[in-house]
Amino acid sequence: MTYSLTDTLIRVWEMSGFANATWQQLVMILVSFVLIYLAVVKEFEPLLLLPIAFGMLLANFPMTGLLEGPLGDQPGGLLYYIYQGVELGIYPPLIFLGIGAMTDFGPLIARPSSLFLGAAAQFGIYIAFLLALAFGFAPEAAAAIGIIGGADGPTAIWLTTKLYQDLLPAIAIAAYSYMALIPMIQPPLMRLLTTQKEREVKMEQLREVSKAEKIVFPIVVATLCIFLLPSVAPLIGMLMLGNLLKESGVTDRLSNTAQNELMNIVTIFLGVSVGAKAVGENFLQLETLKVIALGLIAFAFSTVGGLLLGKLMYWLSGGKINPLIGSAGVSAVPMAARVSQVEGQKANPSNFLLMHAMGPNVAGVIGSAVAAGIFFALFG
Amino acid sequence: MSLLEGLQILVIGLGTVFLVLISLSGAVALESRIFSFLNKSKKENPAAEISTTPEKSTVVNASVGELKLIDVDERTAAMIMAIVSDESQIPLSELNFKYIKAIN
């Protein structure tokens, strides 16, 4: 057998990615570079955006077979197996376990009416759902798009995986990007919908919440929510388990693992898996742009919903509740609460709304999980 | 799916979210009241606290949590329960008070 240098070089070229790349793959590789830039330089949700961007990069290299399933005796590609955690709905509830272990529900327990704000701030989910239907999306796709308004990445990923996987990368990227952009999206709406007098309101200090109350809380929430809406069990169940591990005080090791090692490992797998679904042929479509536009509308209307109920509560309470805490009812913990704090302090420098806004903020996590459970019950 | 059906889902969906979270808010408020009542009765009735071991007082709190008070303040109720327990020689953990009502 003889080898010619020219033939070998031609064969190597023919088998290389350079010769086999499609224009869509090249565009997606460029998009992944932009996302890596946003994650590293602009620090837009880098913990998730960076793995997503790199997963996108890997998935769009031609000829790698990373996403292919097993064929006969041949095992599948690496990303195919990692993606099973998304496909089977395992990663998002595990992220919720970590979130639960990191969340202090004290402000919500101290003021249970925060839950109303967490419910009102799901308004954008349903407005975006309606608009998506008007744009011609199937009801399952419209529900998955709407959930972007919950401002909760794992919930959006969980529901999209269950209802309409083709939109997963667009929805995940839109959800995380808008969460990172909350400090830019929310303040103009907050100033537009509230008066200076309302923004200046100083709220009474929250009462102290006992340890026993904090221990009982996750049990009560899990029991009540799952009895009322069994489809929320994976998300609420894991969220409350994580919280119980934290609050019980007897499982510090488990709580630490849930909020650190486990959370970090799952975040890497989840990010890479979601990014890997952003293959050029599926992603570079007009639908992606529609999803991104609808996601922004969903975020905006969720903020509006929270603020309007906040105004109502301001009025009903005789001016004791600052309506700015309503916008924190979109999940995005703790970013949305910080925005309420910043805007409140701009109106009145002696104002400290952070702890007051944390109540609606964590209520929003429960609210968006409930909204996702309702969509799953309807279309799953 | 028509827009009208979508609108129905908007109303039903958002309504259900509110319903679930309002129920939750009620449950949390109830939980807080129970704990605050238990703490108050603990503070207001040191005699009952002294007369029981820490283990017993936990159980006492559980039974107090189900108690209905009719025209009786919490301090009086706590005293009555402690007296009944002392007089009957039955530990508070084994007593189950349904309600305490003032008779004029």
Side-chain angles (χ1 to χ4, degrees):
Chain A
M1 198 175 191
T2 56
Y3 290 97
S4 105
L5 179 65
T6 322
D7 284 351
T8 309
L9 285 175
I10 289 171
R11 190 171 297 171
V12 168
W13 170 255
E14 282 172 353
M15 289 176 66
S16 75
F18 290 108
N20 289 284
T22 62
W23 70 267
Q24 290 101 329
Q25 287 170 324
L26 294 174
V27 170
M28 288 308 293
I29 288 171
L30 288 177
V31 170
S32 73
F33 290 162
V34 172
L35 293 180
I36 290 173
Y37 168 81
L38 291 176
V40 176
V41 181
K42 299 288 179 185
E43 295 189 23
F44 280 5
E45 295 284 335
L47 293 178
L48 211 86
L49 198 55
L50 194 59
I52 287 179
F54 208 82
M56 188 185 286
L57 180 65
L58 288 175
N60 284 285
F61 287 135
M63 312 283 285
T64 59
L66 280 169
L67 282 166
E68 283 168 20
L71 199 69
D73 293 342
Q74 294 294 311
L78 174 67
L79 294 181
Y80 167 80
Y81 290 108
I82 293 179
Y83 185 72
Q84 294 310 302
V86 174
E87 175 103 33
L88 300 170
I90 296 169
Y91 296 150
L94 287 181
I95 294 276
F96 258 53
L97 180 76
I99 293 172
M102 288 194 284
T103 304
D104 177 10
F105 284 101
L108 191 153
I109 301 170
R111 184 180 286 121
S113 60
S114 300
L115 280 154
F116 306 156
L117 295 168
Q122 310 310 317
F123 182 52
I125 291 178
Y126 293 96
I127 293 293
F129 167 75
L130 207 58
L131 287 173
L133 284 179
F135 276 133
F137 282 99
E140 295 80 7
I145 293 167
I147 207 70
I148 299 174
D152 192 323
T155 303
I157 291 169
W158 179 80
L159 187 70
T160 309
T161 312
K162 300 280 180 194
L163 298 185
Y164 207 86
Q165 287 202 16
D166 289 351
L167 290 178
L168 181 61
I171 287 175
I173 290 167
Y176 281 103
S177 304
Y178 291 138
M179 277 160 65
L181 292 172
I182 271 185
M184 281 175 248
I185 296 171
Q186 287 195 323
L189 294 168
M190 294 161 92
R191 279 174 235 142
L192 185 72
L193 292 174
T194 56
T195 63
Q196 177 72 16
K197 189 183 166 200
E198 287 168 345
R199 291 195 294 273
E200 282 176 1
V201 170
K202 280 177 81 170
M203 292 177 68
E204 282 173 19
Q205 201 175 350
L206 292 170
R207 72 173 176 86
E208 204 176 313
V209 175
S210 70
K211 187 175 176 344
E213 278 178 274
K214 287 185 176 182
I215 292 172
V216 172
F217 177 79
I219 302 166
V220 168
V221 174
T223 308
L224 193 66
C225 283
I226 297 172
F227 262 121
L228 281 171
L229 210 61
S231 54
V232 302
L235 295 176
I236 295 288
M238 286 293 112
L239 182 73
M240 292 302 139
L241 170 61
N243 192 246
L244 186 59
L245 293 178
K246 172 182 184 276
E247 300 298 353
S248 67
V250 292
T251 52
D252 284 349
R253 280 168 49 194
L254 301 186
S255 169
N256 288 337
T257 302
Q259 53 184 292
N260 296 300
E261 293 84 355
L262 181 64
M263 181 86 157
N264 293 339
I265 291 167
V266 177
T267 301
I268 294 170
F269 286 168
L270 182 67
V272 172
S273 307
V274 169
K277 284 297 276 184
V279 178
E281 286 77 10
N282 302 332
F283 192 81
L284 293 174
Q285 292 181 1
L286 186 62
E287 281 192 346
T288 304
L289 290 177
K290 287 183 190 171
V291 169
I292 289 168
L294 287 167
L296 182 60
I297 292 170
F299 256 67
F301 273 95
S302 287
T303 304
V304 168
L307 285 169
L308 291 181
L309 192 71
K311 279 173 82 79
L312 181 67
M313 287 171 75
Y314 164 84
W315 183 70
L316 291 174
S317 65
K320 285 182 182 166
I321 289 182
N322 189 319
L324 290 179
I325 67 168
S327 64
V330 300
S331 310
V333 181
M335 186 88 82
R338 280 194 206 135
V339 172
S340 299
Q341 156 74 15
V342 169
E343 288 303 308
Q345 214 156 36
K346 273 183 194 166
N348 178 355
S350 64
N351 219 345
F352 288 93
L353 292 178
L354 188 64
M355 284 317 285
H356 302 287
M358 280 308 289
N361 207 189
V362 294
V365 178
I366 300 173
S368 53
V370 170
I374 293 166
F375 274 141
F376 183 58
L378 289 172
F379 303 117
Chain B
M1 179 180 275
S2 70
L3 278 181
L4 193 65
E5 286 170 316
L7 206 59
Q8 283 174 342
I9 288 180
L10 184 152
V11 174
I12 294 167
L14 200 56
T16 313
V17 172
F18 266 99
L19 184 76
V20 173
L21 295 196
I22 287 171
S23 318
L24 213 53
S25 154
V28 174
L30 185 70
E31 179 200 330
S32 301
R33 280 188 180 198
I34 291 170
F35 278 102
S36 115
F37 173 69
L38 295 177
N39 288 339
K40 260 186 196 170
S41 57
K42 229 187 215 179
K43 280 178 193 165
E44 287 178 5
N45 189 12
E49 207 172 0
I50 292 162
S51 66
T52 56
T53 63
E55 192 186 350
K56 277 178 184 167
S57 82
T58 310
V59 183
V60 169
N61 289 342
S63 66
V64 171
E66 296 169 9
L67 179 64
K68 269 187 190 172
L69 300 181
I70 303 164
D71 298 327
V72 176
D73 62 71
E74 290 163 9
R75 183 185 163 87
T76 312
M79 283 171 64
I80 291 168
M81 288 189 291
I83 292 165
V84 170
S85 170
D86 189 49
E87 289 292 320
S88 61
Q89 294 296 305
I90 301 170
L92 268 173
S93 59
E94 289 171 33
L95 285 172
N96 189 10
F97 294 88
K98 295 281 183 191
Y99 63 91
I100 299 176
K101 185 179 177 183
I103 300 169
N104 297 318

